[in-house]
Structures are given as C-alpha cells and as structure tokens.
Amino acid sequence: MLHDNETVYIDEVQGSDETGTGTRDAPYKTAVHSLQTKGDSIKILVQKTSEEGYKDISGAALKKAKKRVDDLAKKAKKEEEKRKAEVEKAKLQKEEEERKLEEAKSIVLEQDSTLPQAIKIKIMNSVANRGKRVKVSGWVHRLRTQGKDMKFIVLRDGSGYLQCILTGKLCHTYDALTLSLESTVTIYGVISELPAGKTAPDNHELLADYWEVIHNAPGGDDAFANKLNAEADPSVLYEQRHLVIRGDTASTVLKVRSAIMKAFRDHFDSKGFTEINAPCMVQTQVEGGSTLFEMNYYGEKAYLTQTSQLYLETCLPSLGDVYCISESYRAERSHTRRHLSEYTHLEAEMVFITFDDLLNALEDLICDTISRVLAHEPTRKLIYQLHPDFVPPKRPFLRMDYKDAIQYLKDHDIKKEDGSFYEFGEDIPEAPERAMTDRINQPIFLCRFPAEIKAFYMKRCADDKRVTESVDVLMPGVGEIVGGSMRISNMSELLEGYKREGIDPTPYYWYTDQRKYGTTEHGGFGLGVERFLAWLLHRDTVKECCLYPRFMGRCLP
C-alpha cells in the first residue's frame, strides 16, 4: 500500500529499474520508473555518485520526469486503443470471411455440356494440345489470387508445370476460397500461347471453364509452407525430405539423375557391355573391414556389399565387358560433403585391356555421358537451371602421377594440419586433394598410387613395383568421383595381396579361381553417381543428389 510522501531512492549508477524496490538498499535507477511505479505523491532522493550521497531531486529533474511519465502514459493509451482497434478489425474480418465462406458453400459448379469433351493429358503433352479442351490433374505448386475474380494456379504433375487461371464464379466457390498449396485438383479448359511480354512454363496457360478438388491439403499451422522454409535447419529438411523433393530444386536434381542413369546405360550399350545385377549381401570385404556393415545372415556373419567389383570380374569370361548400377554401403564415420553410407555405384570391368585403355574408357564414359544429357534439350535446360556456368569437360583430361601430386602439394605449400608436408607413401586426404583439384580447375586422372595405400587386388606397375596401375578421377568442386585400376591377373601376386592385407583367402576361392581358369589382363572402375551429380549440378553436398540420403546418424525417413 502506497503512502503520501513515501521516500523513494534513486541511484543513477548502481540502481536497477528491473530488480530494485525503491528502498535505500535496493534503489531504482530512474525517476521516471519511480513515478510510474509509486505514483507522484512521493519524495524522491537521488544519488549520482556514492561520494555525493542521496539528495532531494531537483525541481527541473522532477518536472522533466513527470512530463516523460505523462508522454509514456499517452503513448501507452494510444497503443492500447490501436491494439483494441486491430483486434476489432480482425474480428470483423474473420466474421466477414466466415460469412463469405458460408455463402460460398451454396455456389455449385457444373460443367458446360455444350463444350467439347475434354481430353485427359499429362502436362508434358500440353504444348501438343494447345487450342483443345483438356483435363489436367496435379498438385497446386503455386497459388496467387488477383482481385476478387481471378486466381492463378501453377499445377504440377511430375511431368511438368502448367499455369492455370480461374475466373469469375470459379474463384468464388468454397473450394476456391479454402484452396491451399499441395492440394490435388483437376482443371478443365483450353491451353493458349501467351502474348508477348508475359511468361509462364512452356509460354502458355490454361483458361479454366471448370475445376474440382480431389483433396485439399491442410492450412494453418500444418500448411505446407509452414513445414518448410528457406531458413530451415538441414536436420529439419532431412526429416521432411518427403516434402522437400516436391520443391523445384530437389525435383530437378532427381530428374537430371534419371537422365544421367539412362545416359550411362546408353553409353555402355553402345560399347557392347552387358549389365549385371550383383548380390548386396556378401561374406567378403573389398575396401577394408572397418567400413563394413555387419549383419546376421541365418546365424552366419555377413555384410552389406562395399562394391560389386569382384562379382563383375567373374562375369568377364562368359559375358565380356560388363557393368552394374547398384547400391554400395560404406560404414565410414565421416560427416563430409561427399560421404554417404549408402550410395549408387556405377561399376564396370573390362577384359583384354591395358592401363591406358582403362583411362581412355573412363574419359570416354564421362564425356560421352555429358554429351548425351546435354543433347537432350529438356535435361540440358534443367542442368543449366541449377548450374548456369557448367562447362563440359574437354579431352584429354590432365594425367598426373601420385608422386607428382605429392610434389605439387609441396610446391604450392599445401600442408597437413600439423604443418608438415605430405610424403610419398602417405594417403592424400580430401582437403588437400580438393585444394589441388580446385586450383588446377580441370578434370584430373590421378594415377599410380603406392600399393600399401590401395586395395589388395590392384596390379603393380611393371616399371615401378612400389606403385599400382590405379587411378582416381578428380573433379573441381567435388574431388574424387571415380576410383579404378588394373586388377591383378597373376595368382601368386593376388595371394600376396591377401597376405599383405591380412585377409583369409579361403572365402575368396571363387574370385581367386579367375586367375586359375584362363587369366588375362583386365581392369575396371567404380563411379559414385551422387558425386558425379554434385559436380554436374554444382551441389554443395552429395546428400542433395539422392532420394533419401543415408549417412552416419540418419536412416529416416
């Protein structure tokens, strides 16, 4: 309870308007707060410094503080009146919207029986059906209302996008007023080319004469736009990946991916390769035991495959050159932009070849595949939509030996984290490899790695037994996208490779037999499809280049 002439203390240095109570032990900081809290029938003592002590507030200061209190009170009153007015306005708007919605329920659309029968089409066929009355179904990808009598819908059906216009009565129905993004609809009308100066997908639009909702997606807090936004944390986007892929960028990546897979197959088909489907449940390792996903296979130990290479090699005697496109699995505890636990592996094996033949085949695969997808105009547009500065690689690729790469790192002062240089025999990690590749800024065939840092099956060079006939294909912005080598064809060399890596050769009898029954020179490679796409489409991470990325800590959705 306040009393007239209550003494209130103000300490302008150490007082606090937030925690103070106005007593000598807990003073306020300002006279304005004192007057707001205690009223104006108080005695105010002010302390400017501890040496000066508390003194009566001056008349001028008290007058100024009271004026400030009055100003703040008037401002607060105006704000409260404004708030009440806004609340009232919102209430009236809501009532008006509810009234319109209720009225809209009485508006019923009917098809005009005098119009021609509509032809059911996919959006990809819309250009060929201009001028005809068509029926198109899809998802509401974009939605915009213009005035009271016009609504623009960009429809998506997976084959393309089509701008549709609802006018007049079509805009006034309950379904029109409550329509939300990602709702499914069917729209009837005629597609016409746009006049000069206007833009829309395929440069045309459908003027609707009838439409219906198949299913209305939710609005409010559960609306599609509230599920995803540009500022969403990556973890949220991975959780909502099933919705992310409906977006322009993600769906474009998947469309280009499909075209790339077709181009790979067309390339191999043109070269006479046979496609193989190898098992993904195995009992042998290829790329090191630490990256195996172990599983219980009817009481026996088994693994998810790291590569189909060994199985492809067994097909060479019967089928000649072979390839496969399937998933491989690596249990690498790596959170980098280029690592996935499950990735699509394009692998090929060729027989009766030399190391130079292998490099030429790799160069041909990459360049021919790019030529094929760029020759397909719809895919070409999608590629340049995501990567406007893409330049197709030119032949021949730069060919650099591992030992020369070690020297390059030294010459360009690219060091380890501890400040020392990389030496011959050491693996070159991702960061320095990327630094070198990005600086050179062209595709690189990095060749002839030391045997000790490569897999047991790689053939040693005849002129330098320290190194193997091996290659990594490095691309600017991504790094390694392909690894390949000539395979050991000599039985004793292969057995020595098992021994070097501490591998029991017994479970590999079927692979070793290839050196027993008609051995010959052969080689192959494995290409990471997601890395290839990341390079082609200039994506920041391979996680953007597959449907549902799997990496350490992520196996959903």
Side-chain angles (χ1 to χ4, degrees):
M1 184 174 180
L2 300 180
H3 302 282
D4 289 349
N5 299 320
E6 177 185 355
T7 300
V8 177
Y9 292 85
I10 307 296
D11 187 329
E12 294 183 351
V13 177
Q14 297 184 357
S16 172
D17 289 340
E18 287 74 32
T19 61
T21 58
T23 64
R24 191 183 189 95
D25 294 333
Y28 292 132
K29 188 175 182 67
T30 65
V32 170
H33 184 74
S34 301
L35 293 168
Q36 287 177 317
T37 305
K38 301 288 188 177
D40 56 6
S41 299
I42 56 174
K43 180 179 181 180
I44 300 177
L45 297 180
V46 180
Q47 175 174 272
K48 297 183 180 295
T49 66
S50 57
E51 293 80 9
E52 192 176 301
Y54 283 101
K55 296 180 180 179
D56 287 337
I57 188 171
S58 68
L62 180 61
K63 182 179 180 181
K64 183 178 179 181
K66 286 184 175 181
K67 184 178 185 306
R68 178 59 177 161
V69 169
D70 288 342
D71 290 344
L72 290 172
K74 290 176 182 177
K75 182 180 179 181
K77 184 179 180 181
K78 285 183 178 180
E79 289 178 348
E80 178 61 18
E81 290 173 349
K82 181 181 178 182
R83 186 191 66 80
K84 288 182 178 179
E86 289 175 348
V87 169
E88 184 63 22
K89 181 180 179 181
K91 179 183 175 183
L92 293 174
Q93 285 179 337
K94 184 178 180 180
E95 290 174 352
E96 178 63 14
E97 289 172 1
E98 290 175 349
R99 184 188 64 78
K100 287 182 178 180
L101 285 174
E102 199 59 36
E103 287 182 357
K105 290 179 181 179
S106 64
I107 300 175
V108 179
L109 299 180
E110 293 182 357
Q111 289 202 59
D112 187 342
S113 59
T114 66
L115 294 175
Q117 183 73 25
I119 305 167
K120 182 180 178 180
I121 67 166
K122 291 281 190 181
I123 292 176
M124 64 181 178
N125 299 319
S126 56
V127 172
N129 285 280
R130 286 179 180 173
K132 304 172 185 176
R133 186 167 184 259
V134 297
K135 168 186 175 182
V136 188
S137 299
W139 286 261
V140 177
H141 189 66
R142 298 279 185 269
L143 182 62
R144 176 170 61 91
T145 299
Q146 184 171 308
K148 295 181 179 180
D149 295 312
M150 187 172 290
K151 191 180 288 286
F152 289 86
I153 296 173
V154 174
L155 202 62
R156 181 190 77 240
D157 72 350
S159 74
Y161 300 89
L162 176 63
Q163 178 167 288
C164 306
I165 303 177
L166 308 183
T167 58
K169 186 178 178 181
L170 300 180
C171 296
H172 302 156
T173 65
Y174 182 82
D175 282 340
L177 297 180
T178 59
L179 189 63
S180 57
L181 290 177
E182 294 305 316
S183 296
T184 41
V185 299
T186 298
I187 303 179
Y188 298 71
V190 176
I191 301 172
S192 301
E193 187 173 0
L194 287 174
K198 292 189 176 183
T199 59
D202 287 328
N203 196 41
H204 61 202
E205 61 189 10
L206 182 151
L207 181 61
D209 58 61
Y210 178 77
W211 74 291
E212 56 191 0
V213 173
I214 300 171
H215 180 270
N216 210 340
D221 293 340
D222 210 27
F224 184 82
N226 292 330
K227 285 281 189 179
L228 299 171
N229 58 70
E231 292 75 34
D233 184 88
S235 63
V236 174
L237 297 180
Y238 291 132
E239 290 286 344
Q240 303 296 325
R241 180 70 178 168
H242 60 296
L243 300 180
V244 170
I245 60 176
R246 299 186 182 202
D248 294 337
T249 298
S251 62
T252 296
V253 171
L254 293 176
K255 288 175 182 176
V256 174
R257 179 185 170 107
S258 175
I260 284 289
M261 301 294 261
K262 181 179 185 301
F264 281 141
R265 286 191 164 93
D266 288 346
H267 168 82
F268 283 119
D269 185 58
S270 73
K271 303 295 181 181
F273 281 65
T274 300
E275 184 173 4
I276 296 299
N277 301 111
C280 68
M281 294 184 291
V282 302
Q283 291 187 304
T284 52
Q285 69 177 59
V286 182
E287 302 297 333
S290 64
T291 64
L292 287 166
F293 280 108
E294 189 175 317
M295 58 187 289
N296 184 323
Y297 186 73
Y298 302 107
E300 292 186 88
K301 186 181 292 186
Y303 314 99
L304 293 178
T305 185
Q306 299 166 314
T307 171
S308 298
Q309 175 205 318
L310 272 58
Y311 296 99
L312 289 180
E313 287 187 54
T314 68
C315 297
L316 294 175
S318 58
L319 301 175
D321 297 342
V322 291
Y323 78 99
C324 75
I325 301 178
S326 58
E327 305 312 297
S328 285
Y329 304 86
R330 303 282 173 89
E332 293 182 87
R333 305 185 72 81
S334 300
H335 266 306
T336 75
R337 295 189 298 170
R338 66 178 193 172
H339 279 97
L340 289 168
S341 297
E342 176 187 59
Y343 67 98
T344 303
H345 210 175
L346 168 66
E347 300 181 86
E349 293 294 320
M350 295 163 284
V351 71
F352 301 115
I353 63 169
T354 64
F355 186 48
D356 281 339
D357 291 335
L358 174 64
L359 298 183
N360 292 337
L362 261 173
E363 190 173 88
D364 189 36
L365 167 69
I366 293 169
C367 293
D368 183 47
T369 298
I370 293 300
S371 295
R372 288 174 186 273
V373 294
L374 292 181
H376 183 245
E377 190 59 26
T379 304
R380 176 186 174 87
K381 288 180 179 179
L382 295 176
I383 290 171
Y384 283 100
Q385 176 183 315
L386 293 184
H387 191 179
D389 300 324
F390 176 70
V391 177
K394 296 180 180 178
R395 311 186 203 200
F397 291 1
L398 174 65
R399 302 187 180 192
M400 174 188 286
D401 281 353
Y402 163 88
K403 62 181 176 60
D404 296 324
I406 292 292
Q407 189 60 48
Y408 182 97
L409 298 180
K410 291 179 178 179
D411 293 344
H412 292 82
D413 202 34
I414 300 174
K415 301 178 180 179
K416 302 178 188 176
E417 290 184 358
D418 64 7
S420 63
F421 285 111
Y422 292 93
E423 301 294 342
F424 186 93
E426 295 180 317
D427 190 23
I428 302 175
E430 176 187 1
E433 184 181 81
R434 283 279 298 274
M436 178 183 72
T437 307
D438 290 351
R439 187 173 296 188
I440 294 173
N441 197 32
Q442 62 174 298
I444 302 171
F445 280 153
L446 188 57
C447 304
R448 298 178 176 83
F449 291 85
E452 286 70 25
I453 63 173
K454 283 298 182 179
F456 71 88
Y457 53 76
M458 293 191 179
K459 181 180 177 63
R460 292 179 186 260
C461 293
D463 58 348
D464 186 352
K465 294 297 184 179
R466 298 177 305 162
V467 298
T468 54
E469 291 189 327
S470 52
V471 59
D472 284 353
V473 181
L474 311 180
M475 288 295 187
V478 179
E480 180 193 348
I481 65 169
V482 180
S485 76
M486 294 298 289
R487 317 310 192 189
I488 293 174
S489 58
N490 180 275
M491 173 82 80
S492 59
E493 285 184 30
L494 180 60
L495 293 174
E496 183 58 35
Y498 290 139
K499 183 178 179 180
R500 186 188 77 228
E501 297 299 324
I503 296 173
D504 178 7
T506 305
Y508 295 81
Y509 71 92
W510 51 274
Y511 181 68
T512 308
D513 272 357
Q514 302 308 306
R515 281 77 185 166
K516 183 177 180 181
Y517 297 99
T519 189
T520 186
E521 295 302 309
H522 63 288
F525 57 84
L527 177 149
V529 171
E530 288 80 11
R531 291 187 185 183
F532 188 91
L533 281 166
W535 161 69
L536 174 63
L537 300 179
H538 197 52
R539 296 298 90 196
D540 184 60
T541 169
V542 293
K543 298 177 181 68
E544 296 180 50
C545 299
C546 55
L547 182 59
Y548 290 106
R550 298 293 186 248
F551 52 92
M552 189 171 67
R554 168 65 56 187
C555 200
L556 280 175

